[in-house]
Amino acid sequence: MTSETSAARAEGDRILSIDVVRGMAVLGILLMNIVAMGLPTYAYINPIYGGGTEGADFWTWAVNNVFADGKMRALFTMLFGASAVLIAGRAESGAGLGPVQTHYRRLFWMFVIGMIHAYFFFLGDILVTYALAGALVFPFRRLDPRLLIGLGGALLAALFLWHLSDAGQMKALLAAATAPGADEAARTAWAQASQGFVAPPGFSERETALFRGGFLEALEARAQVALLLQLTIPFDAGPEAIGQMLIGMGLFRLGFFSLGWSTRAYVIMIVIGYALAAPFAALQAGLIHAAGFEPVRTHELMVWQSITRPFIALAHASVLLLIVRAGLFRGLVSRLEAAGRMAFTNYLMTSVITSLVFCGYGLGLYGHLSRAEQLWVVAGVWALILLWSRPWLAHFRYGPLEWIWRSLVQWKRQPFRKATA
């Protein structure tokens, strides 16, 4: 076994480099999720609705907007596509359930757990989207990897054009609704069409009051938004996830996530992401700030910014993959690898912790922390994930929720504790 292969491989048939990148993604996604966890929902879309737009709060928004918003989710989604191919391959060579049964049983239980997660802990759950999108992409896993990437890119390009057209229609509806003598029908059409990025009057205040209340009040607030987000899956989150999963499948089969590319190829990906895509994203962020975060203009510019998501996401991954290849920062890499192996547990555990931090049945900090102040919560959760994941895996085969998930898929109790010498 070459040194590079041993660097990519971890315990058993796991691929260390994939787990390391997944660990980074599960940490990075909290940079954006924390906003929806502790501030009014529309603050995630536009900081004028909460969190602050000046000083440290502005720079927190700006840096996250360029390097994290949509990028960490894109990376997480690509890794889900890669894992679907990897797990199907293992199932084909095993003696238990076949790849189709394994995949769709996994998705069924992911959907069930995701629904519980969305309504009881975090309204921005991604598991339901993954379950639905994953069911559609699985039959394509055997296509030529370059065709998979091409199909995924084409779907994302079509989604971008649809959003761009939608942004133009929003401007026209706003002009009609605010024109002198505009009738009630025009104002109603604008109010309904703009719900995705313009907060209805009093919405944020009602939402804040509910989240600062008891468990049932928080459940009411969470359910309202979670249902709205889930209804958009077929039109927005779903196609984006499908496109990114297809790209992830193709990249995995081309060896991207398992250190199969040359160092030069990874460097090219870093240059594309950081020297081309990131400056373009930063330009859009600057234009948003110059427009005073006006909602319609912000919506339009964020549509343009969405082009950069996969490129910046893959630049992040490329940097980390080169670190793994070079054998640098071994302690940190080891902890990221453990965090990635327990990504399912860590993702859901993060929501449980933050619900107790922000909701009224816990510390009740909802709406009290600015964007910059929320980073202290992020740092605390990151520290916990990095500190506990590796010691846990020293004694157990899987994270606790990974073990439950596996046992449900196999419909029998799976081995949990590691054998002791």
Side-chain angles (χ1 to χ4, degrees):
M1 180 180 289
T2 66
S3 59
E4 183 167 300
T5 302
S6 62
R9 295 277 171 182
E11 180 180 333
D13 58 356
R14 297 196 68 92
I15 300 178
L16 180 146
S17 53
I18 290 181
D19 286 329
V20 172
V21 177
R22 187 183 291 111
M24 177 187 69
V26 79
L27 294 178
I29 205 168
L30 181 58
L31 285 168
M32 294 309 303
N33 284 353
I34 196 72
V35 178
M37 291 166 168
L39 289 169
T41 298
Y42 284 89
Y44 185 97
I45 305 166
N46 193 323
I48 64 171
Y49 294 115
T53 60
E54 302 294 334
D57 296 323
F58 165 73
W59 286 109
T60 300
W61 171 84
V63 173
N64 282 341
N65 175 264
V66 173
F67 293 104
D69 188 7
K71 289 78 175 178
M72 291 300 178
R73 184 177 68 249
L75 184 56
F76 211 43
T77 310
M78 290 181 202
L79 287 166
F80 185 87
S83 295
V85 177
L86 180 62
I87 293 169
R90 291 173 183 165
E92 286 171 350
S93 60
L97 295 174
V100 175
Q101 275 190 304
T102 299
H103 181 76
Y104 285 100
R105 284 192 185 190
R106 281 170 56 85
L107 294 187
F108 171 77
W109 288 111
M110 174 178 277
F111 179 86
V112 171
I113 294 169
M115 291 294 284
I116 295 170
H117 178 231
Y119 289 88
F120 287 91
F121 298 105
F122 176 47
L123 52 84
D125 165 79
I126 197 66
L127 300 179
V128 170
T129 302
Y130 282 3
L132 297 175
L136 295 175
V137 303
F138 189 70
F140 297 96
R141 70 190 186 282
R142 298 183 188 276
L143 293 179
D144 180 85
R146 290 171 178 81
L147 179 57
L148 285 169
I149 294 171
L151 288 173
L155 184 54
L156 294 180
L159 188 62
F160 162 74
L161 293 174
W162 181 74
H163 281 154
L164 195 62
S165 173
D166 178 68
Q169 292 176 15
M170 291 301 106
K171 292 169 70 175
L173 287 172
L174 176 61
T178 56
D183 58 21
E184 184 63 27
R187 290 193 293 269
T188 301
W190 160 249
Q192 292 176 344
S194 64
Q195 283 184 0
F197 59 93
V198 178
F203 181 89
S204 297
E205 292 77 11
R206 290 193 300 272
E207 188 178 40
T208 299
L210 287 171
F211 273 115
R212 289 179 182 173
F215 182 83
L216 292 179
E217 288 79 9
L219 178 63
E220 178 186 344
R222 201 178 289 118
Q224 182 178 357
V225 179
L227 178 61
L228 185 63
L229 292 175
Q230 288 173 356
L231 290 175
T232 68
I233 288 175
F235 309 103
D236 190 358
E240 182 181 52
I242 290 170
Q244 291 167 350
M245 286 179 189
L246 290 171
I247 291 171
M249 287 178 165
L251 288 173
F252 171 74
R253 290 181 52 200
L254 290 175
F256 175 83
F257 292 111
S258 53
L259 299 179
W261 287 22
S262 67
T263 298
R264 180 174 179 271
Y266 287 118
V267 170
I268 290 173
M269 186 62 70
I270 292 169
V271 170
I272 293 172
Y274 292 158
L276 298 177
F280 182 79
L283 173 63
Q284 308 311 306
L287 293 173
I288 290 170
H289 181 254
F293 297 98
E294 191 278 320
V296 176
R297 181 62 171 155
T298 296
H299 173 64
E300 179 184 28
L301 291 169
M302 284 190 172
V303 170
W304 282 101
Q305 204 177 55
S306 66
I307 300 172
T308 67
R309 289 174 183 170
F311 301 106
I312 297 176
L314 292 173
H316 293 337
S318 296
V319 169
L320 196 52
L321 289 167
L322 288 181
I323 289 173
V324 173
R325 170 175 283 175
L328 301 174
F329 310 113
R330 291 179 184 271
L332 176 60
V333 166
S334 175
R335 292 191 178 276
L336 285 173
E337 181 261 336
R341 286 180 62 185
M342 293 173 52
F344 193 60
T345 293
N346 285 326
Y347 172 70
L348 294 169
M349 180 190 71
T350 295
S351 298
V352 175
I353 292 171
T354 53
S355 70
L356 294 174
V357 169
F358 292 113
C359 294
Y361 51 84
L363 298 180
L365 294 180
Y366 190 91
H368 287 301
L369 299 183
S370 70
R371 251 181 170 75
E373 290 169 342
Q374 284 187 327
L375 295 180
W376 291 107
V377 180
V378 172
V381 174
W382 281 3
L384 177 61
I385 289 173
L386 293 174
L387 288 172
W388 95 293
S389 298
R390 192 169 71 176
W392 176 276
L393 289 173
H395 299 284
F396 299 94
R397 296 171 182 266
Y398 318 108
L401 291 177
E402 282 80 2
W403 175 74
I404 292 172
W405 192 17
R406 282 173 177 261
S407 297
L408 288 170
V409 169
Q410 299 295 329
W411 204 240
K412 64 180 179 181
R413 189 180 186 276
Q414 297 297 294
F416 194 26
R417 280 188 172 275
K418 289 185 174 179
T420 56

